Amino acid sequence: MQWNELIRDVTSAAQDAPSEVAVTGVEYDSRLVQQGSVFVAMRGGTTDGNHYIDIALSRGAVGIITDSAEAFGALAVSHSKTPRLLVEHGRNALAQAASAFFGHPERVLGATGVTGTNGKTTTTFLIESLLNAARRSSILVGTIEYHVAGQVRLSAHTTPESRDLFELMADGVALGATELVMEVSSHALDQGRIAEVDLDLAVFTNLTRDHLDYHHTMDAYFAAKQLLFDGTRYPAPRVAILNADDAHSQQLATAAKEAGAEVITYGLGRAASQPEWYAEDLKLLPSGVKFTLVTPVGTAQVNSGLAGEVNVLNLLAALAAAYARGVDFDTLIASVPSLRPVPGRFQPVDAGQPFTVIVDYAHTDDALRNLTALARQLVHEKLGRVITLFGCGGDRDRTKRPKMGQAAGEGSDFVVVTSDNPRSEDPAAILAEILPGVEGSGVRFVVESDRATAIQLALAEAEPGDVVLIAGKGHEKEQILRSGPIFFDDSQVALSALRSLGYGGVK
């Protein structure tokens, strides 16, 4: 590809003379630039890529796209023969250039984006599974891992930068993928990481307190989510699929309709919300759920191995989304029994012990309430206890720490407060901010900053019939300390602790 072809669809404020220089890549990280790359220098939240233009040029960059008028002018003097482009929005330009370089893969993919505080990961996995059951090849982008037409790849970010997203899409299209299912974080929406990806479907799961270290207010957090639906920054989706049980959905529905989207609602069938896709005669079982699915296109009995009301909502969202993507109703219903739990989301750890151990990603107060409520349902008939281990991440929203403490305390019989990715903060300081919420709940609790020791302590406390919840990290494979990350897998640590307590092999 030549420079002129690459920049044809990039919205620019100024450019130099046309150039036919050959382009072999597009990069926004100067460390990844190779001979023939175009470097997109853009301002970010923590750094300014324009500071690294000289490094990119020294590594072989043959063209520069910049959102700095100063840098654009300086290049005319220092590198007059290097083609350059001045743009107003660096991330938009990155997406436009990447789309062109990777052959516009977005044009052959039906794209579904899922946003919300909780449930994004499970909902995207379920949507992908339902599409795969209908023999659709897919790309999945999310927190745990990426899927590229059946290949599993490591996930660097919940929603990657547009350049990396377009490379994933191009790889998937080359392997026959026709569907893109992605988690869309509020950070990504605010920063413009999904520019040039026109979503066919946009799904909203819920909105609860989180990420205020970035957004500062709940209004700003919600405003970022709304960008997926209202057509102001990104094209409005063809269909918006909204959780009618969440109060924010009414505003999203209005915004989506005004932008020209069709709106489909889902929920648990409560009279106040009046969803179109809902669960009737819901029965929560230790092995999963049973309910009657009622929709405008049919009614069916559903048996799912995914436990709890939260997963009923996730499943309803996925069913509505897959139907909106053209999967017929009968295929959807036939596929439900084969759906499997997502790694790190209500994931059991079994060494033959007479109590239940669950690893879950719950890391907000709302998610902890949902998690402990589900555990309470499981122990109700056995008269067991709910034992909850959790912590709060460092360098993140401090205001949710006592709220999480209160949620854990109110939903549990015994709480173990520990560390969860303290990052640069002092673990003891984080624990001190959690404790007022735990103490106010009146629950019996202990504090142990070492997470491995805390897991051992929680499991040693358990008796037959209890449920032990190990919350916060879920699928994560590291603990991030001030000194750097160390390998840490809650499920493996729990399994090792169970064995040390005398329980046998894994079932």
Side-chain angles (χ1 to χ4, degrees), residues 396-473:
R396 297 295 186 267
D397 179 15
R398 294 172 57 185
T399 64
K400 74 177 182 180
R401 293 171 183 174
K403 297 177 186 296
M404 288 180 65
Q406 180 180 1
E410 291 176 348
S412 310
D413 300 291
F414 181 64
V415 171
V416 179
V417 185
T418 189
S419 292
D420 182 349
N421 294 333
R423 299 183 177 88
S424 70
E425 289 193 60
D426 178 0
I430 299 174
L431 297 174
E433 293 186 342
I434 295 172
L435 289 185
V438 182
E439 292 168 343
S441 72
V443 74
R444 186 167 68 91
F445 70 93
V446 297
V447 178
E448 172 52 65
S449 62
D450 181 83
R451 192 172 180 92
T453 303
I455 290 174
Q456 179 87 23
L457 191 158
L459 296 175
E461 171 74 18
E463 298 175 352
D466 290 349
V467 173
V468 179
L469 303 172
I470 302 173
K473 296 182 69 61

Side-chain angles (χ1 to χ4, degrees), residues 133-152:
R135 301 186 183 280
R136 308 261 188 100
S137 182
S138 58
I139 301 162
L140 180 137
V141 179
T143 305
I144 296 178
E145 59 196 21
Y146 301 152
H147 299 168
V148 182
Q151 299 177 0
V152 178

Side-chain angles (χ1 to χ4, degrees), residues 8-303:
R8 185 176 298 149
D9 296 326
V10 178
T11 304
S12 63
Q15 58 181 299
D16 60 3
S19 171
E20 295 183 356
V21 66
V23 174
T24 60
V26 174
E27 302 293 348
Y28 60 91
D29 185 336
S30 62
R31 295 167 294 185
L32 301 179
V33 169
Q34 298 180 11
Q35 183 62 44
S37 297
V38 166
F39 180 59
V40 181
M42 59 189 188
R43 299 180 183 91
T46 57
T47 188
D48 185 347
N50 291 286
H51 296 158
Y52 302 94
I53 288 175
D54 286 343
I55 294 175
L57 290 167
S58 71
R59 293 180 62 87
V62 296
I64 302 294
I65 298 174
T66 174
D67 58 7
S68 167
E70 181 180 356
F72 181 79
L75 283 168
V77 177
S78 63
H79 294 80
S80 59
K81 294 183 179 180
T82 300
R84 67 198 193 283
L85 191 72
L86 176 63
V87 299
E88 184 176 354
H89 300 290
R91 274 196 164 92
N92 286 354
L94 175 65
Q96 291 167 339
S99 172
F101 180 78
F102 289 109
H104 299 288
E106 76 282 0
R107 295 178 181 176
V108 296
L109 291 168
T112 299
V114 180
T115 198
T117 306
N118 301 311
K120 294 189 299 296
T121 299
T122 296
T123 301
T124 53
F125 266 73
L126 294 177
I127 293 171
E128 185 197 34
S129 295
L130 292 169
L131 293 171
N132 290 166
R135 301 186 183 280
R136 308 261 188 100
S137 182
S138 58
I139 301 162
L140 180 137
V141 179
T143 305
I144 296 178
E145 59 196 21
Y146 301 152
H147 299 168
V148 182
Q151 299 177 0
V152 178
R153 301 185 183 181
L154 293 176
S155 170
H157 300 283
T158 296
T159 312
E161 289 285 0
S162 58
R163 179 252 177 250
D164 304 323
L165 179 58
F166 277 100
E167 183 175 32
L168 280 172
M169 289 192 286
D171 289 350
V173 168
L175 294 170
T178 60
E179 302 282 343
L180 169 67
V181 184
M182 60 187 300
E183 294 182 48
V184 186
S185 69
S186 58
H187 297 67
L189 286 164
D190 182 62
Q191 295 170 5
R193 291 188 220 157
I194 64 163
E196 300 300 304
V197 181
D198 292 353
L199 294 178
D200 187 51
L201 309 183
V203 181
F204 172 69
T205 60
N206 51 61
L207 190 83
T208 60
R209 190 180 189 89
D210 201 10
H211 301 306
L212 296 194
D213 54 300
Y214 178 89
H215 296 287
H216 304 300
T217 68
M218 285 297 293
D219 286 345
Y221 181 33
F222 175 65
K225 297 292 189 186
Q226 185 168 296
L227 292 173
L228 198 65
F229 301 90
D230 64 12
T232 58
R233 185 179 299 185
Y234 309 103
R238 177 180 63 87
V239 181
I241 298 173
L242 309 175
N243 177 5
D245 292 344
D246 188 286
H248 297 88
S249 287
Q250 186 172 355
Q251 182 174 334
L252 291 179
T254 299
K257 288 176 181 177
E258 290 178 350
E262 176 189 353
V263 171
I264 296 174
T265 58
Y266 67 92
L268 295 177
R270 299 185 175 101
S273 61
Q274 297 182 327
E276 297 165 276
W277 288 61
Y278 65 92
E280 194 171 71
D281 301 324
L282 175 62
K283 294 180 176 61
L284 301 174
L285 309 168
S287 58
V289 295
K290 293 183 178 181
F291 61 89
T292 301
L293 174 64
V294 182
T295 81
V297 297
T299 300
Q301 297 301 308
V302 171
N303 297 314

Side-chain angles (χ1 to χ4, degrees), residues 345-417:
R345 270 61 175 176
F346 211 77
Q347 176 183 341
V349 179
D350 192 352
Q353 74 278 0
F355 50 87
T356 301
V357 179
I358 299 293
V359 169
D360 192 87
Y361 189 56
H363 61 284
T364 67
D365 54 310
D366 182 68
L368 273 178
R369 285 192 184 89
N370 291 332
L371 181 63
T372 55
L374 176 53
R376 186 65 64 192
Q377 293 165 0
L378 296 180
V379 302
H380 178 68
E381 294 182 358
K382 300 178 182 179
L383 301 178
R385 299 173 301 157
V386 175
I387 299 169
T388 301
L389 176 147
F390 83 102
C392 295
D395 301 332
R396 297 295 186 267
D397 179 15
R398 294 172 57 185
T399 64
K400 74 177 182 180
R401 293 171 183 174
K403 297 177 186 296
M404 288 180 65
Q406 180 180 1
E410 291 176 348
S412 310
D413 300 291
F414 181 64
V415 171
V416 179
V417 185

